Structures are given as C-alpha cells and as structure tokens.
Amino acid sequence: MRAGPSQEDIRRHNLGTLLRHVHLGGPISRAELTTKMGLNRSTIMALTSDLTAAGLVREELPRETGRAGRPSLVVRPESARVYVFAFDVGPDRLAVARVGLGGVILDRRETARERGPFQLEELAGTLAGFARQMRRKTRDDTVCVGAAAAVSGGVRKADGVVRFGPNLLAEEVPFGEELGRRLGLGLPVSVGNDANLAALAEHSRGVGAAVRDLIYLHGDVGIGGGIIAGGHLLGGHDGYGGEVGHMVVNPGGRACGCGSHGCLEAEVGERALLEAAGRVGPGQHGRDAVRTVVEAADRGDIEAQAALSKVGDWLGLGVANLVNIFNPEMVIFGGMLREIYLGSAAQVRTQLVLHAMAPQRERLRLRTSSLGDAATLAGAAELAFAHVLADPLEVLARANA
Amino acid sequence: MRAGPSQEDIRRHNLGTLLRHVHLGGPISRAELTTKMGLNRSTIMALTSDLTAAGLVREELPRETGRAGRPSLVVRPESARVYVFAFDVGPDRLAVARVGLGGVILDRRETARERGPFQLEELAGTLAGFARQMRRKTRDDTVCVGAAAAVSGGVRKADGVVRFGPNLLAEEVPFGEELGRRLGLGLPVSVGNDANLAALAEHSRGVGAAVRDLIYLHGDVGIGGGIIAGGHLLGGHDGYGGEVGHMVVNPGGRACGCGSHGCLEAEVGERALLEAAGRVGPGQHGRDAVRTVVEAADRGDIEAQAALSKVGDWLGLGVANLVNIFNPEMVIFGGMLREIYLGSAAQVRTQLVLHAMAPQRERLRLRTSSLGDAATLAGAAELAFAHVLADPLEVLARANA
C-alpha cells in the first residue's frame, strides 16, 4: 500500500481526465469542464493550454451561444491530427481502421477471410499492409500515438501473447510483437480479447456508457464475454477472465471445441443453432446463415422457431447464472448473439425468471449492442488510446521525437 | 470523471494507508513505513504523530535491534483502546465479538440457535445484549469506533436492508437499523453478506492475503460466495454479487430453496450430502453431521464415500465454471465446504481438468480457509473498521466528541 500521489502524478491525472472528457464526450466548453472536473477556471485553462501545446486539443469560439457576455471557449479533440491504428482479427474477417482522437474513424480497410487457423507472418503482413496504405494517405502533420488489436481468443496479460482461440495454430502466438515489427512505427501493439474490448467500447461510448456493472456477451463462431465490474474490466489473474462461453450449462451436452461438453458456446453458438434448424452443409456458416434462421422463424418457419427456442433456453440459463453471480445492471448481446437474442428474447426472459433470484434481476436491463459489428474495432481503438489518456504529454513527446 | 485529489484528500489517504499497514501487518518500524509507503522520514513522522495524538497508534522503542545506531521507533495499533463490535448471524449460531484495532479479539460471546426464521426484534435484542455485557467490562478510556454484522443472506448496498436468506421471515429486513437502535452507541451498523465478508477477511489477513483475484466459497446450510476481482470485492449493481450458490450446474436437478432446480447449493449443500449418505432424520444437520460423513468416508464407509464423490463432482463442475469465468489465482473453501473439499479434492480436481480451460487453471491454487469459523466474524470486523481506515481523524474526532 503506497502513499497518495505526488503533485506531478496529480497533474498527469488531471491532464488525462480532461483529455478523456474531450475524447469520449466530444467538444466541451471550459465552463463545463470546471463543473465536471471540480477544478477552478484558471486550473482548467492551464491544463487546456498544455494539451493544446501538445497538439492534442484545440480551442475555438463556440458557433452560437445565445447568451450575452463573453462565451466560454470550446475544447475539441485534434481528431484529424492524432490517431491510432485499430486491428480486428475475427474468424470471418480482418479489419483495420485509422481512428482519430475522439473515436472518429478516419479510414478503414476490411477483408473477408476463410475460417481456420492463420499463419502468423501472413496475417501480420496483411494487417500491416493495410495500415501502410492508410498511412501513405495521411498529411505530414499527423501523428500515430498507438496501435492495438482485438483477437478472437485468450490473451495473456503479462506479455500480450495469444494463448487460445479458433484461429490459432500454435499454443503461444506472439501476435502483437510480430505485428509491431511489421508496422515499423516504433510503437508496441497492445492485444486484447475481442469480447473484452467490445465490452470496453460499449462501456465507454455505447449502450453501456455510465453503467458500472455490465456483462457483454459476444457471439461469433463461439461465445465470448467481457465483464465490467465496478467500472473496471474483469481481467482475472492472467488476463483470461470473462470466458463465459465455457461455463457448462448442460452437463453431458453437446461436445465443445474446448474438450468439455455442454458449454454455453456448444449449446448456443452458431453451429448449435444451424444444426438445430437443419441447416448443415457447405456455406452454412457465418452471420448471414444465422440471420436466415432468425428471419425464417419470423416468417413462421416451425423448424427455425424450434431451433431458436431451444438455443434461447440455454442462452437464458447462461444469462441467469451470470446474473446470480454478478448482479449486473445490464447484459448486452453483441455479434451474432444480437440476432439470436432478438429472435429468442421470450425464452431468455422466461429462463431468467425461473433461475435468477428476484433481487438480482429486479433492476436488470437486457440490451443489444449499440456499436454492432464496430464494437470490437472500437474497443481496440480505446485500448490503443489508453496510454495516451494515462499520460498525454509523455506520449506526445515520444511521438514527436 | 473528477480531477485528482486535493492536498487534504492526500493527507487523509496517507493517514489511512499508514493505519492500514499497522492494522493489517501489526507493529512496524518507521523505517519500514518509509519504504512501504514511498514517503520520506519527516512525512512518516508527521503522519504518525497525528495518529498518535488521535489515540489510534502508539510509538515505542523496539525490544532488541541487534544493530548499532539509533533504532527506528516501532508503531503499534492501540488495540486495547480502539475497538469495534462485530456480529455474525449464521443459520446455527449467533456470535458477537469486541475486536481491537489490529484485528485482536478482545472479548467474545456465542450462542447456538435453532434453525429457521428469526424475529427481528428478538434477534437484535439478543445481539445488543451481548454487546452491552462486553461494554460494561471495558475501561473508561476505550472507544468504540464502529459496528458491523455478517448475515447469511443478500444485503442491499444502498441501505443495508437484508433481502433474502435462510433466516428471513420478511422480504425487507432493516436489520442494521434495528441493531443500531438497540446498541444505542450513536453508531450506524453496517451489514454485509457473510460469504462476502469472509472473502474480505481471507483477502485482508487470511490465506488470500496479497491475492488480487480470488473466489471464496462458503458452505453453511447453503452455499455462498465472495469474489475479489482485481483487489476489490465484487458487489454488483445492488450489492447481491457473488451468489454463486444459485448458479445452475445440473438443469432439472435437485429442487433448491430459491425455487430453481440444480443450483450448486442444491447439489452440494449440506442436505445434498447428508441425503446422499443416507443420513436423514432428526438431528441430522449442521457442521457435526457433515463432519461425521467425511470421517466415515475416511474410515472406508462405502456409502459415505459415494456421497462425497457425487457432491465433489458437482462442486468441481461449479468451480470449473467459476474458473473459466474469473480466471482467479485462488479458490478458497470455507465453512462446511472446507470439510467437503478435503473429502473430495480428487473429484474437484478431475472436474477442473475436464471442464476448465488449461490457461485459466494452470496457475490456480485451491486452498481451505485459514480463518476457519472465525472468517465471517473477522470480515464483519474489517467492515466495521473500513471507515476508520478511510478517514482516521474524522472518526476519532466523532467517537471522542
């Protein structure tokens, strides 16, 4: 247990907090900042000056105030100048975006990929190639301050090595290291689990903004989870926290890729739904195939309805377990689970009533992702910006050096 | 998002941190404090003087240093002078302790009780009576700085009202308020779930000290849980977090008191074990009955062994689920689960290998509670001391007023 912060620590914290307001909330007047941060005007002015000098924000007169007197200057993020690279390695697609401070997508590349394991060199080469293309189009005064990737799989906290996932060939993949080398920007590439990062994005600027206790469930080939507990991402001892897809809901049930049986992922994942709906065979996978089942059920197809109902029951049981364990304020369904939840909300709610304790669920809200397919990429961008927000001046000094 | 702390906030934080070192670690030299807290000698001296003047600590020459030169003064908690009342309302017993700063039990009363719901007034009256008896025996210069109770049940964070539990008659029991009134000390009584508080105690001064991610499982009539994630107790939105006993591990399994079926509590709780072992009938309940089964299994009783094995399988599956979800560093078995785990560790470990992902469990440690039956009471004491450690001087000023 250490002593409280030094004056220098507090200045760093205050600069980061001011920048975070601008980054997450957009343009904001100095007057509002004094209220939100609980600091006086001269301190806000000094902090803003530092961030302006560092090229992170700029100050402008507001367009129209409608009030008499001198208007308070508005602080805006330098979105076009300061940016990060965000990467998303999903089972079916690769995506790269150049994201400006404030969360603005400035440029973006995406490509579909065949399912199955990847070759590390090839993958990193493709992603770095996209980034280079985008970088060539930037103006000279822009500065890249970070890079991060969302991967479908487990990421070791200590060193960012990817340990498991549907795309992996090896047991320990130093993906961030390889991508960083190929990017050649002299920047480390942070790596995070896709569902964890999507949870972070929904918590920062999505449907879960201002919600301190939420569970984000992400459906892709499998089921991932990201948990925000008391305002913080639940990482666990080594960084593998949130793997709710491998909670056993049906002992002795369907075989799971992890070697166990009856995992939430095995009973609710894409394959469970498509098999239950009798849709097996070439081309029967991915988001479109899932959407087809949900649409067929909507139109009255009995087989599709039965499949959704079965999958919805297991999904509801899984959610009930998580509600008992976490007492969250909100559960968010994202990725493919968005469609599945919308098609089986009645089953999910019934299972909640049957299996979740009343006090645990009486103030619970069930929601679908508001960032949609952009959630994982947005989460990677937030991860890339994290160290800028932790110490704005140090980062800028390094980037400009 | 607010600005960083003021000078006054930092002083309060530093006083609290110094006191926490003394409270949790025992007597410590000023020299060690400078190292642990990262402050210089004069600041440590000033902080210590403030706490000494407030009567919270005292400074003494060390008994023997074995080194040349002027020895560093040792700071000790004023354990005999500054104390709290800790209450424990379990299904089978009531306990009250007077606990001195530093966690020393100065005095203690305990009584067995019949299982079943209690009358609020009668319960609060009994507990307050014990506290009064102990208070009459204290010296005039002692000061009670807090009171807290551990209850078997769910406690609403907002107001400390008990919402559910095996001992409850009503749906909303203002237990802390009633006990506070009966105590008549002018102090509020904080209330917490027993498993949550036991987790806090094991994390503060038990087998889980210095472990930032742990799951404590508490067995009594039912199964409760307390989860420390990233160093913080997982409370959830309303305070009901950690109810792992109502995670469904066996859909359609044994009926549970909560209305669901196949909950961890229904498959692993005291009744599941005793029924599986053929021990039903009057007097067949409580810790002694459970111990008898475990001892019989140890002696080779086939029926007892089969019962433990069955219960151990479900316990292991539940632990595997929690390990996948949380990736904890440690799982601690407390209360009656201590005996059950010791009697079925092989089953638990086998289920972990079958159902928990390898990266999630490769650094996991399974342990039994080191505080034993004192864990819940110790946790209540920590809860009672919490506000003293948050702001030592304010609390003392109020207590002495």
Side-chain angles (χ1 to χ4, degrees):
Chain A
M1 294 169 291
R2 305 284 295 175
S6 67
Q7 285 306 303
E8 187 53 30
D9 292 334
I10 292 173
R11 178 164 170 263
R12 194 178 296 123
H13 172 89
N14 287 348
L15 285 167
T17 302
L18 199 160
L19 189 60
R20 190 179 294 270
H21 275 293
V22 174
H23 173 62
L24 292 179
I28 181 171
S29 72
R30 280 197 200 163
E32 286 171 284
L33 283 167
T34 58
T35 312
K36 293 208 175 196
M37 291 182 60
L39 291 173
N40 60 38
R41 285 169 59 188
S42 62
T43 309
I44 290 292
M45 194 170 81
L47 293 169
T48 311
S49 300
D50 284 348
L51 294 175
T52 303
L56 289 164
V57 303
R58 68 176 188 279
E59 293 186 282
E60 286 176 355
L61 280 170
R63 298 222 159 102
E64 190 74 58
T65 69
R67 279 196 284 172
R70 200 169 54 159
S72 178
L73 286 172
V74 167
V75 186
R76 296 175 175 276
E78 282 280 15
S79 301
R81 184 174 174 271
V82 179
Y83 71 92
V84 296
F85 278 118
F87 302 89
D88 185 12
V89 182
D92 295 318
R93 68 160 193 179
L94 302 178
V96 185
R98 201 162 70 78
V99 181
L101 190 66
V104 192
I105 295 188
L106 302 168
D107 199 354
R108 188 190 156 113
R109 298 281 187 286
E110 187 173 325
T111 181
R113 68 179 290 268
E114 283 300 306
R115 282 206 182 159
F118 56 68
Q119 295 295 336
L120 175 60
E121 292 75 16
E122 191 188 325
L123 174 73
T126 305
L127 295 171
F130 282 148
R132 263 193 305 275
Q133 285 176 21
M134 289 189 258
R135 202 163 148 74
R136 273 197 293 272
K137 289 169 55 188
T138 60
R139 293 195 324 245
D140 279 354
D141 67 338
T142 59
V143 51
C144 178
V145 294
V151 299
S152 180
V155 180
R156 184 162 57 207
K157 189 164 60 177
D159 57 10
V161 163
V162 185
R163 291 292 308 280
F164 56 88
N167 302 330
L168 291 197
L169 268 181
E171 252 187 56
E172 305 230 342
V173 178
F175 171 61
E177 197 184 311
E178 179 68 20
L179 182 54
R181 187 159 43 230
R182 300 248 174 184
L183 276 179
L185 294 168
L187 285 170
V189 178
S190 307
V191 182
N193 169 269
D194 53 1
N196 281 353
L197 293 180
L200 213 56
E202 294 288 353
H203 175 61
S204 301
R205 47 176 86 243
V207 65
V211 174
R212 290 175 58 81
D213 294 277
L214 67 82
I215 295 176
Y216 171 86
L217 296 174
H218 188 74
D220 235 319
V221 185
I223 307 283
I227 293 157
I228 308 285
H232 298 283
L233 184 72
L234 188 142
H237 185 43
D238 293 303
Y240 311 128
E243 283 293 337
V244 299
H246 298 286
M247 163 173 60
V248 175
V249 289
N250 183 20
R254 290 170 58 91
C256 184
C258 75
S260 176
H261 285 78
C263 297
L264 185 66
E265 167 167 325
E267 303 293 346
V268 176
E270 178 189 307
R271 239 174 82 190
L273 179 72
L274 295 174
E275 286 183 21
R279 303 189 182 223
V280 279
Q284 291 287 7
H285 63 72
R287 195 69 60 86
D288 288 341
V290 169
R291 215 168 267 141
T292 309
V293 175
V294 176
E295 284 165 6
D298 261 353
R299 285 194 311 270
D301 179 316
I302 306 280
E303 201 177 6
Q305 285 177 342
L308 259 178
S309 168
K310 185 177 168 190
V311 161
D313 278 344
W314 290 121
L315 178 59
L317 181 61
V319 170
N321 279 351
L322 295 173
V323 166
N324 283 332
I325 296 170
F326 287 98
N327 180 211
E329 180 178 352
M330 184 181 285
V331 174
I332 304 170
F333 300 91
M336 175 204 74
L337 277 184
R338 188 176 178 284
E339 273 82 38
I340 292 186
Y341 168 69
L342 289 174
S344 66
Q347 279 74 26
V348 172
R349 290 190 177 276
T350 302
Q351 294 298 319
L352 264 170
V353 170
L354 288 174
H355 302 295
M357 300 175 81
Q360 252 83 343
R361 65 179 149 80
E362 64 194 3
R363 300 211 296 152
L364 174 69
R365 291 181 285 161
L366 302 180
R367 291 288 184 273
T368 54
S369 159
S370 65
L371 300 170
D373 285 349
T376 44
L377 205 53
E382 291 308 316
L383 179 61
F385 276 120
H387 66 137
V388 182
L389 299 172
D391 192 355
L393 300 189
E394 200 277 329
V395 171
L396 246 280
R398 193 144 43 82
N400 287 328
Chain B
M1 294 169 289
R2 306 285 295 176
S6 66
Q7 284 306 305
E8 187 53 31
D9 293 334
I10 293 174
R11 177 166 170 262
R12 192 178 299 124
H13 172 89
N14 287 349
L15 285 166
T17 302
L18 199 160
L19 189 60
R20 190 178 296 269
H21 275 293
V22 175
H23 173 62
L24 292 179
I28 181 172
S29 72
R30 279 197 200 165
E32 286 171 285
L33 283 167
T34 58
T35 312
K36 295 209 174 195
M37 290 181 62
L39 292 173
N40 60 38
R41 284 169 58 189
S42 62
T43 309
I44 291 291
M45 194 171 81
L47 293 169
T48 311
S49 300
D50 284 349
L51 293 175
T52 304
L56 289 163
V57 303
R58 67 176 186 278
E59 294 186 280
E60 286 175 354
L61 279 170
R63 298 219 159 104
E64 190 73 58
T65 69
R67 280 194 285 172
R70 199 168 55 156
S72 178
L73 286 171
V74 167
V75 187
R76 298 175 173 273
E78 282 280 17
S79 301
R81 183 173 176 272
V82 179
Y83 71 92
V84 296
F85 279 117
F87 301 89
D88 185 12
V89 182
D92 295 317
R93 68 160 194 179
L94 302 178
V96 185
R98 202 164 69 79
V99 182
L101 190 67
V104 192
I105 294 187
L106 301 168
D107 200 354
R108 188 189 156 114
R109 298 283 186 284
E110 187 174 324
T111 179
R113 69 180 286 269
E114 283 300 306
R115 282 205 181 158
F118 55 70
Q119 294 295 337
L120 175 59
E121 291 75 17
E122 190 189 327
L123 175 74
T126 305
L127 294 172
F130 281 148
R132 263 193 306 275
Q133 285 175 21
M134 289 189 259
R135 203 165 148 72
R136 273 196 294 271
K137 288 168 54 188
T138 60
R139 294 195 324 247
D140 278 353
D141 68 338
T142 59
V143 51
C144 179
V145 294
V151 298
S152 180
V155 180
R156 185 162 56 208
K157 189 164 63 178
D159 57 10
V161 164
V162 185
R163 291 294 306 282
F164 55 89
N167 301 332
L168 292 196
L169 267 181
E171 250 186 59
E172 305 230 343
V173 179
F175 171 60
E177 198 183 310
E178 179 69 22
L179 182 54
R181 188 163 37 232
R182 301 249 173 183
L183 276 179
L185 294 169
L187 283 171
V189 178
S190 307
V191 182
N193 169 268
D194 53 1
N196 281 353
L197 293 180
L200 214 56
E202 293 288 352
H203 175 62
S204 301
R205 48 176 84 246
V207 65
V211 175
R212 289 176 57 81
D213 294 277
L214 67 81
I215 295 175
Y216 172 86
L217 296 174
H218 188 75
D220 234 318
V221 186
I223 307 284
I227 293 158
I228 308 284
H232 298 284
L233 183 71
L234 188 143
H237 184 42
D238 293 303
Y240 311 126
E243 283 292 338
V244 299
H246 297 286
M247 163 173 61
V248 175
V249 290
N250 183 20
R254 290 171 58 91
C256 184
C258 74
S260 176
H261 285 77
C263 297
L264 185 66
E265 166 166 325
E267 303 293 346
V268 176
E270 177 188 307
R271 238 174 81 189
L273 179 73
L274 295 173
E275 285 183 22
R279 303 191 182 223
V280 280
Q284 290 288 4
H285 63 73
R287 195 70 58 86
D288 288 341
V290 168
R291 214 169 269 141
T292 309
V293 175
V294 176
E295 284 166 6
D298 262 353
R299 285 194 311 269
D301 179 317
I302 305 280
E303 201 177 7
Q305 285 177 343
L308 259 180
S309 168
K310 185 177 168 192
V311 162
D313 278 344
W314 291 120
L315 178 60
L317 181 61
V319 171
N321 280 351
L322 295 172
V323 166
N324 283 331
I325 296 170
F326 288 97
N327 179 211
E329 181 178 353
M330 184 180 284
V331 174
I332 304 170
F333 300 91
M336 175 205 73
L337 277 185
R338 188 176 177 283
E339 273 82 39
I340 291 188
Y341 168 69
L342 290 173
S344 66
Q347 279 74 26
V348 172
R349 291 190 177 274
T350 301
Q351 294 297 319
L352 264 172
V353 170
L354 288 174
H355 302 295
M357 300 174 81
Q360 252 84 343
R361 65 178 148 81
E362 65 194 2
R363 301 212 293 152
L364 175 70
R365 290 182 285 162
L366 302 180
R367 291 287 184 275
T368 54
S369 160
S370 64
L371 300 169
D373 285 349
T376 45
L377 206 53
E382 291 309 315
L383 179 61
F385 276 121
H387 66 136
V388 183
L389 299 173
D391 191 354
L393 299 189
E394 200 278 328
V395 171
L396 246 281
R398 192 145 43 80
N400 287 327

